[in-house]
Amino acid sequence: MNLSESKDFVVDSSNLKEVRTFSREVFEKINLPQEQKDELVLAIAEAAQNIVKHAYKDVEETTDAMQIKISLKDGELEIGFFDKGKPVVPENIQHRKLDDIKPGGLGTFFIKQIMDGAVFKKDQKGWVNHLVLTKKI
Amino acid sequence: MTYKVTDEGNISTVFLNGEIDMDVAEKAKEVILPLVEAGKEVHLNLKDVSYMDSSGISVLIESHQKALEKSTKVIVKEVSKSVLKVIMMAKLEQILNLE
């Protein structure tokens, strides 16, 4: 089965629930164990949260949208995140060490645990950042 | 997210309901941390929490650490399967008081 669906969301933490709803609706169309669907929703929500928290850090309110595109082709799931926030420096992204118990720093770790790949691409047209998460399913 | 708090002696039980994400994490902390600050033993009942992300996990860590500072404890109770999975992914099942 192949599919490709995308949706724009205003960059705001109040829209993260809508991001999860969109993701769940798309994954309903794919034959996967519920546990794996839940993990994928978590990875998408964490990546969207990173846009709100980091790409739009210190921005009180914005009308900017982020776009999330979920595609499945030949058993490869590709999830694209486009935003117009501060440029991300991929080398600066790191999760905290797990034995350093403190609040925060786990979102990127969850994404890496769940997905096979996470790369920032330079092909964004009209966007600033383009993160692509991939997973064989 | 909605919540309910019940008190019995020095134990406050916080029943959280819904999804705990970045948008509601501050609200959850505003409910839990003052109870811990007051030296209460806090039982966090998560049976009606259907989803939790890293922001929710941060609430659990911060509550647990604040309780240690105040020589009391936070006990996390009736964790749903999906939330337990996230706690385990963060390798916190041996750190938090889970019941």
Side-chain angles (χ1 to χ4, degrees):
Chain A
M1 177 194 182
N2 294 341
L3 68 77
S4 182
E5 296 196 23
S6 71
K7 190 167 180 179
D8 290 6
F9 305 87
V10 171
V11 179
D12 190 275
S13 65
S14 64
N15 285 327
L16 294 173
K17 193 179 179 71
E18 209 185 314
V19 167
R20 296 194 296 275
T21 300
F22 164 69
S23 307
R24 285 172 184 139
E25 285 171 0
V26 173
F27 293 134
E28 275 309 302
K29 298 168 189 169
I30 303 174
N31 185 23
L32 282 176
Q34 187 58 46
E35 202 170 311
Q36 193 171 11
K37 288 180 185 177
D38 291 344
E39 284 185 357
L40 291 167
V41 170
L42 178 64
I44 291 171
E46 295 290 357
Q49 183 182 151
N50 281 345
I51 293 172
V52 177
K53 201 187 269 187
H54 301 298
Y56 282 80
K57 189 179 179 185
D58 303 325
V59 177
E60 287 261 325
E61 205 173 317
T62 181
T63 54
D64 282 3
M66 58 179 160
Q67 186 176 91
I68 300 177
K69 183 178 178 184
I70 303 176
S71 309
L72 176 65
K73 193 177 176 190
D74 302 329
E76 169 103 352
L77 188 66
E78 183 176 300
I79 306 160
F81 298 82
F82 301 85
D83 72 75
K84 295 178 180 175
K86 297 179 183 74
V88 171
V89 180
E91 297 75 30
N92 292 349
I93 299 174
Q94 49 187 306
H95 60 79
R96 71 161 165 79
K97 289 178 182 161
L98 278 191
D99 54 3
D100 179 18
I101 308 293
K102 62 182 181 188
L106 280 172
T108 303
F109 174 76
F110 287 166
I111 292 168
K112 287 186 174 172
Q113 286 282 297
I114 295 164
M115 306 304 294
D116 297 334
V119 289
F120 280 91
K121 293 200 170 176
K122 296 286 182 194
D123 60 350
Q124 60 276 32
K125 294 186 182 79
W127 299 92
V128 174
N129 300 304
H130 178 199
L131 169 67
V132 177
L133 305 182
T134 53
K135 188 173 181 74
K136 278 270 179 209
I137 58 172
Chain B
M1 182 201 78
T2 58
Y3 68 92
K4 182 178 81 176
V5 182
T6 61
D7 289 299
E8 195 176 326
N10 195 44
I11 298 174
S12 290
T13 303
V14 180
F15 295 85
L16 296 175
N17 190 312
E19 301 193 326
I20 316 292
D21 66 3
M22 178 190 177
D23 195 43
V24 300
E26 277 305 312
K27 183 178 167 187
K29 277 196 266 184
E30 283 167 16
V31 175
I32 300 162
L33 293 181
L35 297 169
V36 178
E37 289 274 4
K40 296 264 193 177
E41 178 176 317
V42 175
H43 294 185
L44 279 183
N45 189 304
L46 302 185
K47 81 179 161 63
D48 293 319
V49 174
S50 55
Y51 170 89
M52 182 177 282
D53 66 10
S54 60
S55 294
I57 294 293
S58 289
V59 174
L60 299 184
I61 294 173
E62 198 170 335
S63 305
H64 174 74
Q65 291 184 329
K66 180 62 71 181
L68 292 177
E69 269 175 47
K70 293 286 172 184
S71 303
T72 181
K73 58 185 170 182
V74 171
I75 300 175
V76 184
K77 295 188 148 195
E78 296 193 63
V79 185
S80 64
K81 197 177 156 192
S82 57
V83 172
L84 181 61
K85 192 157 185 216
V86 181
I87 289 173
M88 291 178 78
M89 206 185 292
K91 303 201 181 340
L92 289 171
E93 69 273 21
Q94 303 295 329
I95 306 290
L96 303 173
N97 298 310
L98 297 178
E99 271 185 16

